[in-house]
Amino acid sequence: MAKTLSFSCSACGARHARWSGRCDACGEWNTITEDAPISSGPAGKSLGNKRGRAVALTDLSAEETPPPRATSGLAELDRVLGGGLVAASALLVGGDPGIGKSTLLLQAAAKFAQSGLKTIYVSGEEASAQVRMRARRLGLADAPVQLAAETNLRNILTTLESEKPGLAIIDSIQTMWLDTVDSAPGSVSQVRAAAHELTTFAKRHGISVVMVGHVTKEGQIAGPRVVEHMVDTVLYFEGERGHQFRILRAVKNRFGPADEIGVFEMTGSGLSEVVNPSALFLSERGTPSPGSVVFAGIEGTRPVLVEIQALVAPSPHSQPRRTVVGWDGGRLAMILAVLEARCGIPFAGLDVYLNVAGGLKISEPAADLAVAAALLSAREDAALPAETVLFGEISLSGGLRPAPQTENRLKEAQKLGFTAAIAPAGGKTGTVDGLTLSRPSDLVGFVGETFGAG
């Protein structure tokens, strides 16, 4: 039988049937390399005619004890994990360089170790002395965490097998290498093989493994996407360098809700939890000004109030600028088109700048109405009342669609002292004392009621 070869691009991970000088997927040159098999055995050989052993089968009605969870004591981290760390789970944590991934995981390792979970922290980027220096700065020098500085995955797995910890943190997966894969550390083949070995080891030995992953310029975890499919949980650590806020977001979680967030604040002594993120995001909001509105959003299961700021100014260029921070630029273009087509309010010849205060990134369409209000407020130079919150989705026809969890949004606004809310008609609102609710049916009615035009 002829040997079957497979090749992949080290830049984008695209698979190829044969070698070529240029990758057809990403256009890079000299990046296609032969893949080494992950599993043991001769490369390119099939399983053959030898029969395997029978696998034990159970039915759905069989009652099993749910996997135990270990809580760290960091409420924001436990919330994102779905209530704690599940035994024999594999986690992948990504984030921009210098955002605080290693600081967060070192603090989490110390908390888990102090609660009685045997923890090993393996660094492939720093020496053990450097990790201890950071631990002293964070006040964690007395935490019973075992340290190691190693990049050879064979040595790391041997150590974990003999020590039998409850939690192992690998910082980072791009620095690990296997001597069975003929490629440089950080390549697609090495990252895929290392993630596979660590995930398999975690399932077989009942050890929770946390892997740190670098991110690309587009903000995605570097390496093949198959790594994110291998693990149980994928977390992103987000934040702007100019802000002290950090957001830990779950984008995949087999043991809890996805899109859950935890909010931290970067201080001189490390990361501290933010119990009430809405109050923190609105703490720097001053007197009402044109272009500033408060959006009542939902992140995972938690209602979060955040300020949306807009600036509209005459453009000196033939092509007006559209700049967005913290929101989708394509959705901003859609809102501008709907305002012009359905409400007759043009933005031609005007530069538009939109910003979500505090460094938070919003993805839910319920922010449409708040964005439209901020744009109109900036264009008309008319400030909205400071005690009003807005939320709702805008359709291309100019209609307003209700947002999910309307009652939770209103209760969060009332708790923070807001007295008025503007939301689309429909949706369960419940009874929220002390809150006046305005419910326009479409965008034209909202513009007429709020700005006296439309």
Side-chain angles (χ1 to χ4, degrees):
M1 182 182 294
K3 181 181 179 181
T4 303
L5 301 178
S6 63
F7 300 84
S8 64
C9 174
S10 60
C12 66
R15 305 297 294 271
H16 298 269
R18 61 180 62 86
W19 183 90
S20 62
R22 184 173 183 267
C23 176
D24 297 331
C26 65
E28 295 291 333
W29 288 88
N30 300 322
T31 57
I32 297 179
T33 57
E34 180 182 350
D35 291 335
I38 292 177
S39 59
S40 59
K45 294 295 183 68
S46 65
L47 290 176
N49 297 323
K50 183 179 179 181
R51 294 176 63 86
R53 61 179 176 84
V55 178
L57 301 176
T58 59
D59 54 24
L60 290 175
S61 62
E63 295 185 3
E64 294 184 0
T65 303
R69 292 181 183 266
T71 56
S72 64
L74 291 173
E76 295 298 302
L77 176 60
D78 294 335
R79 169 194 288 271
V80 176
L81 293 176
L85 185 66
V86 177
S89 61
L91 293 83
L92 183 62
V93 180
D96 293 332
I99 203 68
K101 300 185 298 296
S102 298
T103 300
L104 172 66
L105 292 179
L106 187 58
Q107 290 184 230
K111 288 287 188 179
F112 278 117
Q114 290 168 352
S115 64
L117 187 68
K118 187 176 181 180
T119 305
I120 293 180
Y121 187 100
V122 181
S123 176
E125 302 177 346
E126 299 176 284
S128 298
Q130 294 172 321
V131 178
R132 282 194 293 267
M133 184 187 306
R134 177 150 37 89
R136 283 194 295 269
R137 178 173 58 85
L138 299 175
L140 305 174
D142 297 332
V145 178
Q146 295 177 289
L147 300 178
E150 181 59 65
T151 57
N152 189 326
L153 193 60
R154 185 186 298 271
N155 298 340
I156 294 173
L157 295 181
T158 301
T159 303
L160 296 181
E161 189 171 11
S162 61
E163 293 291 336
K164 295 181 174 55
L167 170 64
I169 297 176
I170 310 298
D171 188 6
S172 65
I173 189 64
Q174 274 82 10
T175 61
M176 300 295 118
W177 63 277
L178 281 78
D179 48 18
T180 57
V181 179
D182 296 330
S183 59
S187 63
V188 170
S189 300
Q190 286 281 8
V191 171
R192 182 172 60 238
H196 177 270
E197 294 292 342
L198 285 168
T199 303
T200 304
F201 184 87
K203 304 299 181 184
R204 186 186 304 122
H205 293 83
I207 297 174
S208 300
V209 175
V210 178
M211 296 171 277
V212 178
H214 296 165
V215 298
T216 61
K217 292 184 293 184
E218 292 78 19
Q220 302 295 325
I221 294 179
R225 293 303 297 268
V226 69
V227 174
E228 299 189 26
H229 297 296
M230 289 180 187
V231 299
D232 300 308
T233 303
V234 180
L235 307 178
Y236 277 87
F237 204 40
E238 307 169 350
E240 299 291 337
R241 289 183 178 272
H243 293 279
Q244 71 272 29
F245 310 132
R246 299 290 186 269
I247 310 296
L248 183 65
R249 186 185 303 273
V251 297
K252 172 189 176 182
N253 193 354
R254 289 173 179 160
F255 312 116
D259 291 330
E260 189 66 85
I261 68 166
V263 184
F264 298 87
E265 182 179 7
M266 180 64 76
T267 64
S269 57
L271 291 163
S272 61
E273 299 178 81
V274 177
V275 179
N276 191 343
S278 298
L280 189 62
F281 286 133
L282 298 178
S283 61
E284 299 178 358
R285 186 169 182 256
T287 57
S289 60
S292 173
V293 302
V294 176
F295 163 61
I298 292 288
E299 294 290 343
T301 60
R302 157 186 285 177
V304 176
L305 269 61
V306 63
E307 181 184 6
I308 294 181
Q309 304 167 342
L311 176 63
V312 178
S315 176
H317 309 289
S318 58
Q319 185 69 26
R321 300 188 63 179
R322 303 288 187 260
T323 303
V324 187
V325 177
W327 206 50
D328 182 19
R331 202 155 187 92
L332 172 64
M334 185 198 78
I335 297 299
L336 294 174
V338 172
L339 286 173
E340 182 167 359
R342 305 303 180 190
C343 303
I345 303 176
F347 284 83
L350 298 173
D351 286 337
V352 175
Y353 302 89
L354 187 73
N355 175 51
V356 180
L360 185 66
K361 292 181 176 60
I362 297 176
S363 58
E364 61 169 333
D368 290 350
L369 187 60
V371 170
L375 294 173
L376 294 173
S377 173
R379 186 183 185 278
E380 302 298 326
D381 196 27
L384 272 73
E387 65 279 358
T388 303
V389 297
L390 302 93
F391 57 91
E393 182 182 354
I394 297 177
S395 64
L396 292 179
S397 62
L400 299 181
R401 297 178 177 175
Q405 301 189 43
T406 299
E407 187 175 1
N408 292 340
R409 300 172 196 258
L410 296 177
K411 287 181 178 179
E412 180 73 7
Q414 190 270 340
K415 185 173 65 175
L416 292 177
F418 288 87
T419 59
I422 301 176
K428 181 181 178 182
T429 61
T431 302
V432 182
D433 297 331
L435 196 67
T436 303
L437 182 60
S438 175
R439 314 198 74 177
S441 59
D442 54 18
L443 187 60
V444 175
F446 164 75
V447 174
E449 293 176 9
T450 308
F451 298 96

